[in-house]
Amino acid sequence: MSTLEPATTLAAKVSKPYPNDSDEYRSARVALLAEEIELRRHIERVAQQRRALPLGGEPPDYAFKDENGKTVHLADLFGAHDTLLTYFWMYGPQRQRPCPMCTAFLGALDTPVADLRQRIAVAVIGRSPVERQLAFARERGWKNLPFYATADDSYARDYRGLAPDGSEWPALDIWVKRKGKVYHFWGAELGGTQGSGPRSARRPRSDALVEFAGLDAGRPWKRLVSAAGLLACQHTAVLTGRTAHLPLEGEAECTFGAVAQLQCDGGDRILRLQQPVACQQHPPLHQVSHGGHAHLFLEV
């Protein structure tokens, strides 16, 4: 492993004065640059430590209502992903309006969530009925965030969103799914610590949230391709949720064992299986195209 150059040395090497900088300013700026380099390195060390966390506990089987009024559970919120980010916001039924800081956080998240969901699933959870949450979201012009309502207060109490006196707190949590089981991976625990202050509510960045999820934000992002409704057959549903790392064109070995040919057809990408997936009740599946149930991921 290569040894990093000392931050003070690196700062002095790369620093270049702007027009009319005084010696006093340039000296102070180089000292600050060294601290910024150290901060960046420390952030990466913290991210590495977070990625190395063991699995947390298995949560109880909490129930939620989705935007269609259907009862769902935590495992259902993952979709095709194995990592889930939940944000519990302060919008309980006793509140006339949501918490302003929660509103600012979600407003900043609504646009980049489309990019974020290439890597992880995202869910916003509140204690108000989901219809009420959606009404406020539409009032604010939010279009992309998925909202869920807690069935009772057990989730909010257990994961630090609801205090014994009934007051609410925002809660950002990361969950992972391993071999069909859900585990808590990380939760924001800076509340109440010295120096956390309002900066902990700063605007979210997709790469920072990916780091919170225990993933490496520096790795290539992936594009989600959905497989055709042909995969409704239970025998071919072996493809559902599996990952295939494929080039944008050409052959690659998929994790489900079939060799696939990915072609670009105008704006559509079509995955053609050169080795058909066998099914006793249906003809062999030769083509998987955009718009269905199973999910594959492509490096871009």
Side-chain angles (χ1 to χ4, degrees), residues 236 238-240 242-246 251-261 271-278 285 296:
T236 56
V238 65
L239 296 176
T240 302
R242 299 296 179 89
T243 300
H245 295 284
L246 303 174
E251 279 190 13
E253 183 75 22
C254 302
T255 55
F256 46 81
V259 175
Q261 182 78 22
L271 184 68
R272 302 183 188 278
L273 300 179
Q274 295 179 339
Q275 297 176 1
V277 177
L285 177 65
L296 307 170

Side-chain angles (χ1 to χ4, degrees), residues 57-71:
E58 289 186 60
D61 191 24
Y62 301 111
F64 308 91
K65 291 285 186 181
D66 70 7
E67 296 178 5
N68 298 313
K70 179 182 176 183
T71 298

Side-chain angles (χ1 to χ4, degrees), residues 216-274:
D216 185 352
R219 295 186 62 186
W221 286 60
K222 302 173 183 179
R223 180 162 300 165
L224 180 64
V225 174
S226 300
L230 293 170
L231 297 183
C233 158
Q234 186 175 2
H235 293 268
T236 56
V238 65
L239 296 176
T240 302
R242 299 296 179 89
T243 300
H245 295 284
L246 303 174
L248 292 183
E249 301 241 9
E251 279 190 13
E253 183 75 22
C254 302
T255 55
F256 46 81
V259 175
Q261 182 78 22
L262 186 72
Q263 301 174 342
C264 289
D265 182 11
D268 246 357
R269 290 185 173 86
I270 298 178
L271 184 68
R272 302 183 188 278
L273 300 179
Q274 295 179 339

Side-chain angles (χ1 to χ4, degrees), residues 30-80:
V30 171
L32 175 60
L33 179 57
E35 293 297 326
E36 291 169 341
I37 293 170
E38 287 288 7
L39 175 60
R40 182 177 61 189
R41 291 173 176 178
H42 186 69
I43 288 172
E44 177 53 29
R45 289 195 296 272
V46 170
Q48 290 176 357
Q49 189 173 355
R50 186 185 299 114
R51 290 194 290 269
L53 279 173
L55 294 176
E58 289 186 60
D61 191 24
Y62 301 111
F64 308 91
K65 291 285 186 181
D66 70 7
E67 296 178 5
N68 298 313
K70 179 182 176 183
T71 298
V72 295
H73 299 270
L74 205 56
D76 301 318
L77 308 188
F78 282 78

Side-chain angles (χ1 to χ4, degrees), residues 132-172:
R132 187 170 186 239
Q133 297 183 61
L134 284 173
F136 183 82
R138 302 303 172 251
E139 174 191 320
R140 304 292 294 191
W142 303 342
K143 299 178 181 179
N144 303 308
L145 291 167
F147 288 86
Y148 299 87
T150 54
D152 55 41
D153 285 340
S154 57
Y155 172 84
R157 284 195 303 266
D158 291 347
Y159 287 92
R160 309 186 184 189
L162 186 63
D165 64 0
S167 57
E168 293 181 316
W169 296 96
L172 180 67

Side-chain angles (χ1 to χ4, degrees), residues 73-195:
H73 299 270
L74 205 56
D76 301 318
L77 308 188
F78 282 78
H81 297 288
D82 57 11
T83 304
L84 166 68
L85 180 153
T86 59
Y87 184 72
F88 177 85
W89 65 321
M90 298 164 62
Y91 195 16
Q94 81 282 5
R95 288 179 173 271
Q96 291 187 356
R97 304 283 287 178
C99 159
M101 295 300 290
C102 294
T103 301
F105 182 88
L106 292 179
L109 183 60
D110 184 65
T111 297
V113 74
D115 297 320
L116 191 61
R117 290 168 79 177
Q118 295 180 48
R119 298 286 297 270
I120 62 176
V122 177
V124 180
I125 298 172
R127 294 171 61 234
S128 280
V130 71
E131 297 83 3
R132 187 170 186 239
Q133 297 183 61
L134 284 173
F136 183 82
R138 302 303 172 251
E139 174 191 320
R140 304 292 294 191
W142 303 342
K143 299 178 181 179
N144 303 308
L145 291 167
F147 288 86
Y148 299 87
T150 54
D152 55 41
D153 285 340
S154 57
Y155 172 84
R157 284 195 303 266
D158 291 347
Y159 287 92
R160 309 186 184 189
L162 186 63
D165 64 0
S167 57
E168 293 181 316
W169 296 96
L172 180 67
D173 290 276
I174 304 297
W175 313 83
V176 295
K177 188 185 287 186
R178 299 289 185 267
K179 297 181 179 179
K181 292 185 177 182
V182 175
Y183 298 90
H184 189 244
F185 178 76
W186 181 89
E189 298 187 29
L190 276 175
T193 60
Q194 184 179 6

